[in-house]
Amino acid sequence: MSKNIQAIRGMNDILPEQTPLWRYFENGVASLLDGYGYRQIRMPIVEFTELFKRSIGEVTDIVEKEMYTFEDRNGDSLTLRPEGTASCVRAVLEHGISGGGQLQKLWYVGPMFRHERPQKGRYRQFHQIGVEVFNLPGPDIDAELIVLTWRLWGLLGLREAVTLELNSLGSSEARARYREALVEYLSARFEQLDEDSQRRLSSNPLRILDSKSPDTQALLVDAPKLADYLDEESRLHFEGLKARLDAAGVPYVINSKLVRGLDYYGKTVFEWVTDQLGAQGTVCAGGRYDGLVEQLGGKPTPAVGFAMGVERLVLLLETLDKVPAELSRQVDLYFCAFGEAAELAALALAEQLRDALPGMRLAVNAGAGSFKSQLKKADKSGALYALVLGEDELAGRIVGLKPLRADGEQQSVGWDELGERLAACLQA
Ligand code: ATP
Ligand code: MG
């Protein structure tokens, strides 16, 4: 016997038990973003490899070791997108929709691919909802992005569980000056650095700030601070952002070591983190990337955005027991019918009910079965009521209405009153 083929490690099926929660989350975010005037964009999952090399940066972890890159039949080097910002910028440029200072407030949702070590909250195919805004340079829009995520946490019941970490990376000149000072400081202590940080010292020294090694972190205590190197413009921008978050009542902490793993950020960077998910605690992250559009061939275009990890947020909702109870209910009503004639009548009645009560969810029993077995299926469906139609009910042009989640006897309802009666029951 041949071995069953399995899914690729780190790439998960989202099973029917889980999809209601995914849809609750995704629909919640979508309607929130609609409410702030953001519009959805959909990009391909595969792009030319060059796009990610040029945007994310050659010496980042993502590009160095996490991308799914392959040659297609034309000999082109293609990559499964590891994130959405690069594709979004590519699309906006390609269609000229950010040219001439046109404001764009965009969002997208979809799978991303990174060859990382799979573990709880870290997968090789994972999903992000991303938001990107083009052509607004000020801190007002950075604040709006953060305020809207704060509203989202409120809607989902997650405010207590997340903390906003905030930093400013300054201008590229300020970062360059800081990088020099940091490299000088760390070079003098090279032997004490962990191996990863030793490698990064020449390639991407700012990422050392993010090192997980306690020894390296101890070294950093007395290292030069990025905040002391900020240019005046970035400092004012950051002050403007903080003032707006204060005004909106969004709590934050300044984390001067927050640098993010992608090269394109400058000025604002932020992460929403939780201590409820173990090591994979960042549920949403983003920042300003005013240089990226130009780097990809466009005119200078201020831009800011973020992406949230859908798996981690779904996991957080489960961990904190914030899953709305009604999500376990597949349908509101389950129609049981006994015998061929009753089945035919039930089918016709069910269609009439669907006309009369849009939004109601009704399953009609298929596959016949005894009273006991049909009611068992009705119960399993999570329905609030079973509709029962047997020979007697058929003769009397009535349906038995049996409550499944509350005490109470089965009642008889005439076919003509059924729509009205069910509307009242489901509203209660
Ligand atoms: P991390 O530090 O956790 O690796 P990152 O800095 O690589 O995250 P981004 O590229 O900014 O993350 O992606 C934004 C969000 O997408 C993250 O905050 C996280 O919630 C989610 N995310 C990133 N990588 C993964 C992954 N491999 N599996 C699941 N979610 C992920
Ligand atoms: Mg990562």
Side-chain angles (χ1 to χ4, degrees):
M1 237 174 59
S2 62
K3 214 169 138 228
N4 286 349
I5 297 172
Q6 302 204 322
I8 295 164
R9 193 162 117 82
M11 305 205 179
N12 301 309
D13 299 305
I14 318 293
L15 294 175
E17 283 73 44
Q18 303 165 292
T19 50
L21 181 55
W22 277 67
R23 290 178 62 188
Y24 162 75
F25 176 74
E26 289 170 349
N27 294 343
V29 180
S31 58
L32 176 95
L33 289 167
D34 282 346
Y36 279 82
Y38 288 70
R39 297 186 301 165
Q40 192 185 20
I41 180 169
R42 302 186 185 209
M43 298 87 65
I45 285 171
V46 188
E47 300 271 1
F48 287 115
T49 305
E50 191 58 22
L51 173 67
F52 302 114
K53 287 194 175 166
R54 265 168 65 183
S55 52
I56 299 169
E58 296 264 7
V59 293
T60 56
D61 283 355
I62 294 179
V63 172
E64 268 187 346
K65 49 191 192 203
E66 296 175 358
M67 294 204 305
Y68 281 90
T69 296
F70 60 97
E71 213 173 83
D72 81 348
R73 288 171 196 274
N74 304 332
D76 293 323
S77 179
L78 306 184
T79 293
L80 298 184
R81 62 180 184 194
E83 54 110 51
T85 304
S87 306
C88 189
V89 171
R90 196 261 317 131
V92 155
L93 270 178
E94 187 165 337
H95 301 284
I97 59 174
S98 72
Q102 287 177 79
L103 171 62
Q104 291 293 344
K105 297 163 103 179
L106 305 174
W107 69 275
Y108 50 83
V109 54
M112 308 292 160
F113 302 85
R114 296 182 194 176
H115 196 274
E116 303 196 69
R117 193 168 69 77
Q119 53 199 289
K120 182 181 163 192
R122 190 176 295 285
Y123 312 99
R124 290 179 173 173
Q125 173 173 334
F126 62 99
H127 298 76
Q128 286 184 341
I129 298 182
V131 180
E132 320 284 354
V133 178
F134 297 95
N135 282 314
L136 288 174
D140 49 356
I141 191 68
D142 305 36
E144 175 172 288
L145 291 181
I146 290 171
V147 166
L148 76 83
T149 48
W150 178 242
R151 173 166 297 278
L152 178 65
W153 313 142
L155 292 170
L156 297 171
L158 296 178
R159 277 192 181 170
E160 308 283 296
V162 292
T163 307
L164 175 61
E165 297 194 354
L166 209 57
N167 195 18
S168 175
L169 298 180
S171 65
S172 54
E173 297 75 32
R175 271 197 310 289
R177 275 188 289 120
Y178 174 65
R179 191 179 302 126
E180 226 170 90
L182 184 68
V183 168
E184 190 186 312
Y185 174 87
L186 291 175
S187 296
R189 296 156 182 85
F190 187 79
E191 294 309 321
Q192 293 156 263
L193 287 172
D194 62 283
E195 210 177 299
D196 249 355
S197 299
Q198 289 185 344
R199 191 171 49 80
R200 282 182 170 143
L201 191 58
S202 51
S203 61
N204 197 355
L206 260 55
R207 280 291 273 173
I208 297 175
L209 298 178
D210 202 30
S211 167
K212 302 279 181 283
S213 151
D215 293 343
T216 300
Q217 279 304 328
L219 269 189
L220 287 170
V221 171
D222 295 321
K225 298 282 174 290
L226 181 53
D228 299 329
Y229 287 77
L230 277 196
D231 50 297
E232 186 63 6
E233 190 197 329
S234 299
R235 199 186 58 74
L236 287 174
H237 196 277
F238 198 38
E239 290 306 319
L241 171 59
K242 288 188 283 186
R244 283 168 175 82
L245 295 179
D246 292 337
V250 182
Y252 56 86
V253 297
I254 305 294
N255 175 357
S256 59
K257 290 189 195 144
L258 184 63
V259 285
R260 315 281 310 111
L262 303 88
D263 273 359
Y264 49 62
Y265 288 115
K267 289 193 177 133
T268 309
V269 286
F270 67 91
E271 289 193 3
W272 286 99
V273 297
T274 176
D275 56 7
Q276 304 286 313
L277 295 179
Q280 273 53 250
T282 305
V283 293
C284 174
R288 183 161 278 282
Y289 54 93
D290 291 342
L292 182 57
V293 174
E294 197 178 4
Q295 201 175 308
L296 290 176
K299 296 250 158 59
T301 305
V304 58
F306 68 80
M308 47 193 150
V310 180
E311 279 82 356
R312 290 185 194 176
L313 283 159
V314 163
L315 207 55
L316 189 58
L317 288 167
E318 286 171 338
T319 306
L320 299 176
D321 232 347
K322 299 290 185 188
V323 181
E326 64 268 20
L327 292 186
S328 61
R329 194 162 87 225
Q330 291 161 33
V331 291
D332 306 309
L333 303 166
Y334 193 97
F335 213 140
C336 307
F338 306 96
E340 169 104 7
E343 282 181 12
L344 297 184
L347 175 60
L349 271 172
E351 289 306 310
Q352 286 171 25
L353 288 174
R354 292 188 172 110
D355 286 339
L357 303 173
M360 162 211 64
R361 296 172 305 166
L362 166 64
V364 176
N365 186 75
S370 66
F371 185 78
K372 201 172 150 201
S373 82
Q374 290 197 31
L375 272 182
K376 207 166 150 188
K377 287 200 267 179
D379 188 50
K380 209 171 160 209
S381 75
L384 297 171
Y385 295 90
L387 302 173
V388 179
L389 189 65
E391 270 174 34
D392 293 347
E393 286 86 4
L394 189 60
R397 294 180 67 81
I398 54 169
V399 168
L401 179 62
K402 185 175 169 55
L404 297 174
R405 309 288 145 207
D407 293 337
E409 291 297 300
Q410 179 172 318
Q411 296 181 18
S412 298
V413 183
W415 288 0
D416 295 338
E417 299 130 57
L418 196 54
E420 233 170 275
R421 186 66 181 279
L422 289 175
C425 284
L426 293 178
Q427 233 163 39

